[in-house]
Amino acid sequence: MAALALAACSQTPGPVKGLSFAARDPGPAPKFSGQVMSFAGGDVLLAAPQSYCFDRRSSQADSDGGFALIAMCSRLDRRNWFGARKAAVLTASIGPAAQDAAAPQAQDILAMFPEAKLLETREDQLLPLVKLEVAGAVAEGASPVHWRGAFVLDRHLIALALYAPEGSRALGSQGAALLNEVTHRSLEASALPDLEAAGAVLPKGPKQSLRPLARPAAPETAADASAPGKITG
């Protein structure tokens, strides 16, 4: 838990070294395919929230897990990920979870940042969330206030963080909703292959009507039942 929680604050390979969000060389147009990215050799499918995409130049996947950076799809080829709309930037660190490890709690996340000031705790989402304030900005262009959360998926621990500039609504309940959406979509995306393998999808063929069946005929009378050719039961 400590390694993953701290990963988003450490230097990472590629254009996000030091997590400098405000200014970077735009380079060639990014090549991303959708809002889902595979980690840990395909065991974990991480899904971005609506209108957000993976920056594949800054994300890295390996056999044990990896690191992901998620920003607004419309801003992946810009110099400023936040933009005038003050959008959020999300990071995810994926790594193996200890065997029989309990699901992370808010106090577990908070314990990894003893120097941070706790502003809010959320336990009403799919994952525990804490809003922290650190001494100095976490990243260039970002507020010192940010959200952190974590959840377990297929024997892997996913530690999430959300950064936004001062005044962004993502520093409030909107940011908590974004991290909850990542969790929900990731759990859903990772479960679909297992459901298909188990035969949970409908077989191919003519579509079955979803209309209610016709009401059964009224019960036969005693006279009808005694008539020749009638079978009761």
Side-chain angles (χ1 to χ4, degrees):
M1 182 68 184
L4 288 181
L6 294 172
C9 293
S10 63
Q11 292 185 344
T12 56
V16 291
K17 185 176 182 181
L19 289 184
S20 177
F21 295 153
R24 62 170 184 164
D25 182 2
K31 297 180 180 179
F32 57 89
S33 55
Q35 297 177 286
V36 178
M37 188 169 177
S38 174
F39 297 89
D43 289 340
V44 174
L45 295 179
L46 200 63
Q50 186 177 8
S51 302
Y52 283 76
C53 290
F54 288 89
D55 185 335
R56 296 184 182 272
R57 295 176 298 178
S58 306
S59 303
Q60 181 178 354
D62 54 44
S63 59
D64 292 327
F67 172 83
L69 190 144
I70 305 171
M72 289 287 291
C73 301
S74 59
R75 304 208 62 83
L76 288 184
D77 58 347
R78 309 291 182 89
R79 290 187 58 86
N80 190 328
W81 274 318
F82 292 135
R85 297 174 60 186
K86 298 185 178 180
V89 171
L90 295 77
T91 64
S93 298
I94 304 97
Q99 188 175 3
D100 301 327
Q105 303 297 318
Q107 58 265 26
D108 300 324
I109 304 172
L110 180 61
M112 299 301 104
F113 303 92
E115 303 300 324
K117 179 182 178 181
L118 176 64
L119 301 179
E120 186 177 347
T121 300
R122 297 287 297 267
E123 298 278 5
D124 58 339
Q125 307 287 315
L126 289 175
L127 76 169
L129 293 171
V130 294
K131 182 161 68 172
L132 305 176
E133 181 178 1
V134 299
V138 175
E140 185 179 353
S143 167
V145 175
H146 66 284
W147 285 102
R148 286 189 178 273
F151 67 100
V152 175
L153 173 59
D154 193 24
R155 301 181 304 279
H156 287 82
L157 181 66
I158 294 91
L160 300 177
L162 181 146
Y163 306 97
E166 294 284 358
S168 173
R169 290 183 297 177
L171 297 178
S173 59
Q174 185 184 82
L178 280 173
L179 293 178
N180 190 66
E181 186 178 351
V182 170
T183 306
H184 179 272
R185 289 192 171 196
S186 299
L187 293 171
E188 189 177 55
S190 296
L192 285 177
D194 294 335
L195 293 176
E196 293 175 357
V201 294
L202 291 174
K204 294 182 179 180
K207 293 185 178 179
Q208 299 179 1
S209 173
L210 296 180
R211 293 182 179 180
L213 297 176
R215 180 178 298 177
E220 298 174 344
T221 63
D224 293 334
S226 61
K230 292 289 185 177
I231 300 177
T232 62

